[in-house]
Amino acid sequence: MNTFIKKLKYTPLLAMLLVSGCTKNFEEINTDPDALKDVPPQNMLVNVLRNAGEQFGGDVDGYGTFAGYIVKIQYPDNLSGLIPTDNTYGNRWAACYYNITQMNDLLKKTDDKAAGFKNIRIVARIWNNYMWSYLLDGWGDIPYSEAFKGRPEDGSVLKAKYDKQEDIFPAVLADLKALADELAAGIGTDELGEYDIIYGSKETGAAALKAQMLNWQKFCNSLRLRMATRISAVAPALAKSTIEEIAGNKLKYPVIETNAENCRMVYPGTLPYMEPWYESGIYGNRLNNWGMFDIFIDHLNTTKDPRIASIARKNNAGKYIGFINGSENNPNPFTSISWIGEHYVNDPAGATPFYRACETYYMLAEAALSGYNVGITAKDAYEKAVTLSMQDNKIETSAITTYLAGAGKFNGTKERVYWDMWVALFKENYEAWSLYRRTGIPTTNYPSKLQKKHTDQPWRLPYPNNEYLYNADNVKAAATGTVDYNWGKRLWWAKDNGKE
């Protein structure tokens, strides 16, 4: 996979038309015989996966701050980006819709030969649904049913309406369920190989293809599990039936259960393809821009969580010290507080995680505590989740045992599950922000001190400025009830934690 990404910049992704004159043989003379007449589906797939890794893998502050992990220490965090803009948060909106557009195009190009492209079409549809879940978690109501219908043959809908998130969640879950059933019935014969830069490998043949598609099958069902858990408080019947179906038939609906199966993008480690945190922090010499959030370090210290050595660096006095979110003064010196730990920032060939195995078991623990029949006790699921997270952080077995017998001991509450899941989601900052909004954990979370009007982290993301320019009526209707673009109206599944 790594060698393949390195070759991307040399891959001819677009056909070129060379114009040099006007003759009756214009098209024949001025067409490069070596240029591609169309973009191969495999190239479209690798482009979208790479785009997602680059766009969503660089979240250090922003979502990292919303989740309660990381704060700015050089430049005051005045939340100036939380306005309608086509940069910052708006570019994630654009990236999601771009990726879905590309995968829809892939599906159209292969529609007349679907059997021969079965596997790549399945992966494209799974990734589309992951993009929909990302949009739902950031913005809630979004263009869905009328999206991508701008061309005359598609309906000439240039100003798509915004669908309610409570209508989109069941639709996405239904499509994932259909994909899960297709995968359970059997895979295709088309090989994705290293074009699949998440689960692909250099290996070829039936065994390698089966293993590759099994991982995608597990991600599909794990995404179902995540989305069902997200809406468990507001759509309990759908959540329960979905989670019990998956947990009750792991042969048909396997999920991600080991760290080797984690859905993540590993980078080659050389320019221009370095892991984003390393490229920005170490290679770009900006590591001293960020410090660890005081509430995060305080929690890790209080619980004697051994993951602290992986997550954070000790300060110049050999201690783990967090910093204030939105301090008007820089720490003096900068090394007097903890920065991001070596494990997460100092590997050019590191990874962007999209889903970790520990998440499966945290969610099963929560489901068991809700009375769902998931085939495992809440205690066993919780301890399995903690162990997987610890192992992913390179923690010794003895330290895991000590933690589970101490402050990390299961106490039969969802709060214990949520607190530990919060720690485990570090670097999946967007997902951790969703956990906070859904559960209220960490209860200690607070917005930038420079933000005087609200007492909570942002509840949602601002709709991008292009929507206000070109789809004004629909976006304004969707934004009704929001305050300062990011507060006022919580997302459908979010908990009212009493903050404003």
Side-chain angles (χ1 to χ4, degrees):
M1 183 268 286
N2 289 352
T3 56
F4 183 80
I5 299 181
K6 292 177 183 178
K7 297 174 184 176
L8 280 178
K9 59 183 177 180
Y10 303 114
T11 303
L13 294 177
L14 298 175
M16 296 178 62
L17 181 63
L18 305 178
V19 180
S20 61
C22 185
T23 73
K24 63 180 180 180
N25 297 320
F26 176 86
E27 184 174 350
E28 178 181 351
I29 293 173
N30 292 287
T31 300
D32 182 354
D34 295 323
L36 295 172
K37 293 182 173 61
D38 207 349
V39 182
Q42 295 88 342
N43 293 66
M44 299 179 73
L45 175 66
V46 72
N47 175 56
V48 163
L49 296 180
R50 177 195 58 78
N51 177 270
E54 291 180 352
Q55 286 288 332
F56 309 150
D59 302 327
V60 183
D61 51 36
Y63 306 129
T65 304
F66 301 166
Y69 292 146
I70 299 168
V71 297
K72 293 180 180 179
I73 61 176
Q74 290 239 34
Y75 307 100
D77 191 2
N78 58 12
L79 302 180
S80 60
L82 286 174
I83 58 174
T85 174
D86 300 321
N87 298 313
T88 314
Y89 305 106
N91 61 17
R92 304 307 169 88
W93 169 285
C96 287
Y97 279 106
Y98 168 80
N99 289 341
I100 297 171
T101 299
Q102 293 300 302
M103 292 297 88
N104 284 348
D105 196 26
L106 182 156
L107 293 170
K108 286 183 180 180
K109 291 177 185 298
T110 58
D111 193 52
D112 61 342
K113 38 190 176 294
F117 288 95
K118 181 177 181 178
N119 293 331
I120 196 171
R121 287 171 61 86
I122 285 176
V123 172
R125 289 169 60 197
I126 292 173
W127 203 253
N128 269 3
N129 285 308
Y130 175 57
M131 292 293 96
W132 286 124
S133 74
Y134 195 99
L135 286 162
L136 286 165
D137 288 345
W139 291 273
D141 297 352
I142 55 173
Y144 180 76
S145 62
E146 292 184 352
F148 316 113
K149 293 187 176 182
R151 291 182 293 193
E153 62 269 29
D154 296 325
S156 298
V157 179
L158 300 180
K159 297 181 178 181
K161 70 175 183 180
Y162 280 60
D163 295 284
K164 296 292 185 183
Q165 54 200 298
E166 51 264 46
D167 296 327
I168 303 173
F169 263 95
V172 173
L173 280 168
D175 196 47
L176 285 168
K177 155 76 169 166
L179 282 161
D181 288 338
E182 286 182 41
L183 282 162
I187 64 173
T189 58
D190 54 310
E191 294 198 7
L192 308 184
E194 290 185 274
Y195 287 90
D196 171 6
I197 54 176
I198 291 180
Y199 285 126
S201 71
K202 295 180 180 179
E203 302 297 323
T204 58
L209 179 61
K210 182 178 180 180
Q212 183 178 8
M213 292 306 297
L214 177 59
N215 280 328
W216 279 110
Q217 184 179 13
K218 291 179 178 181
F219 178 60
C220 175
N221 288 304
S222 298
L223 186 55
R224 293 174 67 199
L225 182 62
R226 176 189 279 177
M227 294 189 70
T229 302
R230 185 85 82 241
I231 62 173
S232 57
V234 291
L238 177 58
K240 185 174 187 289
S241 62
T242 301
I243 293 170
E244 288 188 341
E245 178 182 56
I246 295 168
N249 194 345
K250 285 189 177 180
L251 286 178
K252 184 175 182 180
Y253 302 118
V255 292
I256 294 173
E257 296 186 83
T258 70
N259 287 325
E261 299 164 350
N262 288 349
C263 184
R264 60 184 194 148
M265 181 180 294
V266 179
Y267 295 81
T270 56
L271 286 175
Y273 303 110
M274 291 178 173
E275 187 279 314
W277 283 25
Y278 174 91
E279 183 175 358
S280 181
I282 304 298
Y283 182 81
N285 199 30
R286 290 189 290 272
L287 188 58
N288 62 357
N289 282 4
W290 309 296
M292 303 307 298
F293 206 135
D294 55 4
I295 64 167
F296 194 31
I297 296 300
D298 288 348
H299 173 76
L300 294 171
N301 278 327
T302 299
T303 57
K304 296 180 173 59
D305 193 317
R307 285 169 290 193
I308 194 171
S310 174
I311 289 170
R313 300 184 184 200
K314 291 181 178 179
N315 71 352
N316 55 5
K319 298 180 180 180
Y320 292 108
I321 302 293
F323 194 59
I324 298 168
N325 178 21
S327 173
E328 294 184 1
N329 301 306
N330 295 334
N332 186 21
F334 287 122
T335 54
S336 63
I337 65 165
S338 294
W339 299 353
I340 302 171
E342 297 275 342
H343 178 73
Y344 284 93
V345 78
N346 198 20
D347 184 2
T352 291
F354 299 115
Y355 187 101
R356 294 183 175 110
C358 62
E359 297 176 60
T360 295
Y361 285 96
Y362 286 117
M363 289 186 286
L364 290 177
E366 178 183 347
L369 288 170
S370 295
Y372 298 3
N373 181 10
V374 292
I376 189 173
T377 67
K379 180 178 184 293
D380 287 347
Y382 168 80
E383 291 182 348
K384 178 70 171 177
V386 173
T387 300
L388 283 166
S389 173
M390 294 279 185
Q391 291 172 343
D392 199 35
N393 282 275
K394 311 300 182 186
I395 305 302
E396 296 292 336
T397 301
S398 59
I400 302 173
T401 301
T402 300
Y403 175 78
L404 285 172
K409 184 177 181 179
F410 182 67
N411 62 7
T413 68
K414 289 184 180 180
E415 285 71 23
R416 173 91 293 272
V417 175
Y418 297 152
W419 277 103
D420 207 88
M421 189 175 186
W422 174 52
V423 176
L425 285 173
F426 183 69
K427 203 170 186 179
E428 280 184 81
N429 298 343
Y430 196 77
E431 182 62 22
W433 177 42
S434 294
L435 177 74
Y436 169 64
R437 289 176 291 158
R438 182 175 73 87
T439 68
I441 302 296
T443 56
T444 50
N445 206 354
Y446 65 91
S448 170
K449 296 291 186 180
L450 298 177
Q451 195 285 115
K452 307 296 185 183
K453 191 173 181 180
H454 300 282
T455 59
D456 200 8
Q457 297 282 9
W459 296 354
R460 55 187 299 120
L461 296 178
Y463 290 117
N465 193 49
N466 274 347
E467 286 296 292
Y468 286 94
L469 289 175
Y470 304 114
N471 195 14
D473 290 342
N474 287 319
V475 72
K476 288 178 181 178
T480 300
T482 60
V483 176
D484 299 325
Y485 302 109
N486 306 276
W487 291 272
K489 182 172 71 173
R490 297 180 187 273
L491 296 191
W492 173 50
W493 45 262
K495 177 181 180 178
D496 185 350
N497 60 9
K499 299 179 182 179
E500 295 181 355

